[in-house]
Amino acid sequence: MSTETVVVGLSGGVDSSVAALLLKRQGYKVVGLFMKNWEDDDTEEYCSSRQDLIDVMSVADVIGIDVEVVNFAAEYKDRVFAEFLREYQAGRTPNPDVLCNAEIKFKAFLDHAMTLGADKIATGHYAGVREFQGKFQLLKAEDGTKDQSYFLHRLNQAQLAKTLFPLADHYKRDVRKIAEEAGLHVATKKDSTGICFIGERPFNEFLSRYLPRQPGEIRVLDDDRVIGEHEGLMYHTLGQRKGLKIGGQKGGGGDHDAWFVAKKDMARNILYVVQGHDHPALVTDTLVAGDLSWVAGEAPKTHWVYTAKPRYRTPDAPCEIDSFDAAAGTATLKFAEPQWAVTPGQSVVVYESRVCLGGGIIQ
């Protein structure tokens, strides 16, 4: 029976609910914390926070824990959303969930939990943490299809030391089963998708309220032909195929292969496209990452075989860190096989087997 107090971030979903339940069963004193991170246009249509809070209260009632509601909307706007807009304006495609974890869920939330007298915090993320040789390691989850260590790679040693991930060894199907057997009505609630603050709403329409549309030409990278018009470079990302509205256009050889975004020229406001998934402009075996953050507590070695993910949904790819540029604060990664649509603004995350070492923002 532990006498430790753990504050669990409750979102109203099945994962965080079961995380709280498991900790309670392990004998911890558990307190739930519901974070409200977004207030603009918080309407029923796209923002589920009102329903989420009702679900949190219902779950807390069944488990038998207290819940506190805290509003981090101001911090969110400053630390996450402003950066998100800056990145889009610069022509990159950021990953706000990575930033949200580092700045809100494990900073503002952790600080707040400590003022409540917590010994540790916990979340429903699929990831693990262990102490090894005096340091804390961030581990991949047992359920590889749900692993979220990628989104947590910007945490630091102090944050990891205070964090529990109760779902580290659980598979999603078992989590739903545990919830069902415990009588938690969220057992069948569908997982939330979409960016943390945007929810399910149409992305371009959302972005256009904050960044003005800037129409420009769509050109073919290979021969500079103009074949269409885009509404704004920020609506497009490297490797994008849908939504270009140039479907009927033939390539130079008269073929009808799909078109993909290959490059953005910010200075001239031109979107460059190429034809065919395997076009050479869409693959590279080298990338440069900046804004480095090593959750392992130290940078990895150069010329050592690791694996890395240049985006969340890609499989781990063997690579090595070719070099560090201390002055620029960057690392150059070389992959054994060319990677498809490596996108500036996304995170590249480095692993040694199951251990997440950290990563950086692709430049």
Side-chain angles (χ1 to χ4, degrees):
M1 180 85 177
S2 175
T3 53
E4 286 193 315
T5 298
V6 181
V7 175
V8 184
L10 290 177
S11 65
V14 67
D15 296 330
S16 61
S17 302
V18 169
L21 175 68
L22 293 172
L23 291 167
K24 181 88 195 282
R25 286 178 179 172
Q26 286 161 27
Y28 289 100
K29 177 170 190 267
V30 178
V31 178
L33 192 77
F34 179 77
M35 292 173 259
K36 186 160 171 58
N37 295 334
W38 188 251
E39 287 189 319
D40 295 23
D41 71 350
D42 190 354
T43 57
E44 287 298 337
E45 189 184 359
Y46 299 120
C47 215
S48 57
S49 67
R50 219 161 292 137
Q51 184 57 48
D52 290 338
L53 180 56
I54 293 167
D55 290 339
V56 163
M57 292 308 192
S58 153
V59 163
D61 204 37
V62 175
I63 300 175
I65 60 172
D66 292 335
V67 172
E68 189 187 332
V69 178
V70 64
N71 190 321
F72 289 138
E75 289 87 338
Y76 197 95
K77 221 161 185 181
D78 285 355
R79 299 187 203 171
V80 180
F81 189 60
E83 178 65 14
F84 168 84
L85 290 181
R86 265 196 301 277
E87 284 286 279
Y88 267 105
Q89 216 155 7
R92 293 185 286 269
T93 307
N95 194 317
D97 292 330
V98 170
L99 206 54
C100 179
N101 283 326
E103 292 294 334
I104 305 297
K105 291 183 182 161
F106 294 85
K107 199 172 275 179
F109 165 43
L110 178 59
D111 292 346
H112 187 78
M114 292 301 140
T115 67
L116 299 179
D119 297 291
K120 296 262 170 78
I121 61 168
T123 67
H125 283 99
Y126 286 84
V129 62
R130 73 175 174 205
E131 199 173 347
F132 181 73
Q133 295 181 342
K135 284 205 163 88
F136 289 87
Q137 292 181 327
L138 175 63
L139 305 174
K140 285 187 177 182
E142 181 66 30
D143 187 344
T145 63
K146 286 289 169 190
D147 173 58
Q148 290 172 300
S149 57
Y150 176 94
F151 297 111
L152 300 165
H153 78 274
R154 296 193 75 78
L155 303 191
N156 59 39
Q157 284 284 303
Q159 290 166 322
L160 265 193
K162 293 278 185 198
T163 302
L164 299 173
F165 295 116
L167 305 186
D169 300 325
H170 290 76
Y171 281 79
K172 181 74 183 209
R173 59 177 182 269
D174 301 329
V175 168
R176 289 204 182 275
K177 205 167 156 197
I178 291 166
E180 195 182 344
E181 286 167 359
L184 303 181
H185 77 287
V186 294
T188 54
K189 185 174 177 178
K190 89 178 177 58
D191 292 342
S192 63
T193 56
I195 292 167
C196 32
F197 50 84
I198 297 175
E200 312 277 347
R201 66 166 68 81
F203 181 74
N204 288 7
E205 176 202 304
F206 174 81
L207 207 53
S208 69
R209 296 201 324 243
Y210 297 93
L211 300 175
R213 291 176 188 271
Q214 285 181 301
E217 293 172 342
I218 299 177
R219 288 176 178 255
V220 180
L221 186 64
D222 296 321
D223 57 20
D224 218 30
R225 272 184 306 138
V226 178
I227 59 165
E229 186 179 79
H230 65 80
E231 293 276 277
L233 292 178
M234 72 266 195
Y235 301 131
H236 299 288
T237 186
L238 265 59
Q240 178 184 336
R241 176 183 172 176
K242 293 196 173 99
L244 295 173
K245 303 189 176 105
I246 50 173
Q249 299 278 354
K250 289 184 181 178
D255 48 10
H256 281 283
D257 271 0
W259 293 98
F260 294 88
V261 173
K263 183 183 157 190
K264 300 179 185 186
D265 183 334
M266 298 305 291
R268 294 161 64 211
N269 194 28
I270 295 170
L271 187 72
Y272 284 101
V273 295
V274 294
Q275 211 168 13
H277 183 278
D278 301 323
H279 191 284
L282 293 172
V283 293
T284 178
D285 61 2
T286 308
L287 66 80
V288 176
D291 197 9
L292 304 171
S293 181
W294 302 111
V295 66
E298 59 191 3
K301 302 178 207 153
T302 51
H303 306 298
W304 190 263
V305 178
Y306 297 110
T307 61
K309 281 178 181 291
R311 65 172 69 194
Y312 175 54
R313 286 279 171 219
T314 55
D316 293 31
C319 72
E320 63 174 18
I321 294 171
D322 193 52
S323 61
F324 287 104
D325 182 334
T330 59
T332 301
L333 274 71
K334 269 204 158 87
F335 288 87
E337 298 278 328
Q339 299 298 299
W340 191 78
V342 169
T343 305
Q346 289 286 298
S347 294
V348 59
V349 180
V350 181
Y351 292 86
E352 188 165 31
S353 186
R354 281 188 63 212
V355 182
C356 177
L357 303 179
I361 310 290
I362 297 168
Q363 306 215 322

